Amino acid sequence: RSRGRERRLQLVWREYRTLTSLLIAYHNIVIMKLVLVTEYVEIPEGVDVVINARQVTVKGPRGELFRDLRHAKVDMKLLPEERKIQLDMWHASSKVKAGMNSVCSAIRNLITGVTRGFRYKMRFVYAHFPINVSVSDDQKRVEVRNFLGEKRIRVVDMLEGVTCYRSTDIKDELVVEGNDILNVSQSAASVHQSCLVKRKDIRKFLDGIYVSEKGHIQAFGNDE
């Protein structure tokens, strides 16, 4: 009996060592790091970019935008002759490398904002009680009335650099515009979240204000 027990312990220990070695090998493959990852962001004509300690300032025909990217472990270098921004990331795993794409997208959105701008279109959806939306004279505040027949007035203030207005050619449409995509999208989300259906079946009560279209204020290369 003792020999059989020792034999079983040896087999278990051998399987344990094999499984451990496989896990270590898999772990080394998964977290394999790249020595250097380089990406480039092109700067179009008419746009000026200033980089100071990973703080990016972009100036263009529509204005100026600023973004603080110090949280990203990326080396940024401005190449004025080639009109490009070089981004380098050293010894990055695959998960950390995904942050490189986020940084590139953030800079491209800044360039797009100062050249073309961003426009979100929202539609009013209601079955019985018509939603009444009014915009202030300075186009900085939205007031929503009669949502599901409620008497409460929902007030939403636009963020910095964002304006809104009622569409003239389409019924029950609100347009939100601005240069900073973060402020434009957050302002549209605030309007949407102010009209959420509570304590009812949302499969039946579909009333609300929803984003119907995302685009730019100016078409590519030409004004709309």
Side-chain angles (χ1 to χ4, degrees), residues 111-126:
I111 296 174
T112 304
V114 298
T115 55
R116 303 175 62 189
F118 294 95
R119 173 184 291 164
Y120 280 37
K121 295 183 179 180
M122 310 185 71
R123 297 297 300 271
F124 313 152
V125 178
Y126 52 86

Side-chain angles (χ1 to χ4, degrees), residues 43-68:
I43 304 174
E45 295 293 336
V47 177
D48 296 330
V49 179
V50 178
I51 300 177
N52 183 16
R54 289 180 291 184
Q55 299 181 23
V56 183
T57 303
V58 181
K59 298 180 181 179
R62 295 187 55 83
E64 178 179 340
L65 291 176
F66 170 81
R67 185 79 76 243
D68 189 352

Side-chain angles (χ1 to χ4, degrees), residues 1-223:
R1 292 182 180 180
S2 60
R3 291 181 179 179
R5 184 177 181 182
E6 292 178 358
R7 180 62 176 174
R8 288 194 297 270
L9 290 175
Q10 290 178 357
L11 292 175
V12 171
W13 174 247
R14 186 179 303 172
E15 292 178 357
Y16 173 77
R17 288 190 301 175
T18 304
L19 181 61
T20 304
S21 61
L22 291 175
L23 289 176
I24 293 175
Y26 176 76
H27 184 265
N28 292 333
I29 294 174
V30 170
I31 66 171
M32 182 185 65
K33 295 184 178 181
L34 301 175
V35 177
L36 175 62
V37 179
T38 303
E39 294 288 345
Y40 294 94
V41 177
E42 296 185 359
I43 304 174
E45 295 293 336
V47 177
D48 296 330
V49 179
V50 178
I51 300 177
N52 183 16
R54 289 180 291 184
Q55 299 181 23
V56 183
T57 303
V58 181
K59 298 180 181 179
R62 295 187 55 83
E64 178 179 340
L65 291 176
F66 170 81
R67 185 79 76 243
D68 189 352
L69 300 172
R70 287 180 294 180
H71 63 279
K73 299 179 180 180
V74 179
D75 294 337
M76 300 183 185
K77 182 189 300 183
L78 187 61
L79 305 177
E81 297 181 356
E82 302 179 6
R83 298 197 62 82
K84 292 182 179 180
I85 301 175
Q86 180 179 341
L87 297 95
D88 297 329
M89 181 176 288
W90 296 86
H91 304 290
S93 62
S94 58
K95 184 178 293 186
V96 177
K97 180 182 175 295
M100 171 77 82
N101 299 328
S102 300
V103 174
C104 294
S105 298
I107 298 176
R108 291 191 181 101
N109 286 334
L110 293 178
I111 296 174
T112 304
V114 298
T115 55
R116 303 175 62 189
F118 294 95
R119 173 184 291 164
Y120 280 37
K121 295 183 179 180
M122 310 185 71
R123 297 297 300 271
F124 313 152
V125 178
Y126 52 86
H128 180 71
F129 297 100
I131 301 176
N132 183 12
V133 176
S134 60
V135 180
S136 61
D137 295 335
D138 58 355
Q139 298 182 343
K140 290 291 186 179
R141 173 173 292 184
V142 176
E143 296 181 355
V144 182
R145 293 179 172 88
N146 199 37
F147 176 69
L148 291 179
E150 298 179 2
K151 299 298 183 181
R152 180 167 70 92
I153 301 176
R154 294 165 165 81
V155 180
V156 180
D157 293 325
M158 300 291 103
L159 296 178
E160 181 181 359
V162 180
T163 59
C164 61
Y165 56 90
R166 290 288 301 269
S167 180
T168 56
D169 54 345
I170 300 179
K171 180 184 177 183
D172 296 335
E173 184 178 67
L174 178 69
V175 182
V176 182
E177 294 180 346
N179 295 340
D180 194 342
I181 188 173
L182 297 183
N183 291 347
V184 173
S185 59
Q186 182 58 59
S187 299
S190 299
V191 175
H192 167 71
Q193 291 177 350
S194 67
C195 300
L196 296 180
V197 178
K198 303 295 181 63
R199 295 185 294 274
K200 292 182 177 63
D201 189 357
I202 59 176
R203 297 172 297 180
K204 178 67 175 179
F205 294 86
L206 302 176
D207 297 42
I209 303 178
Y210 300 93
V211 175
S212 60
E213 182 181 342
K214 300 178 183 179
H216 301 284
I217 301 175
Q218 297 178 353
F220 185 75
N222 297 311
D223 295 338

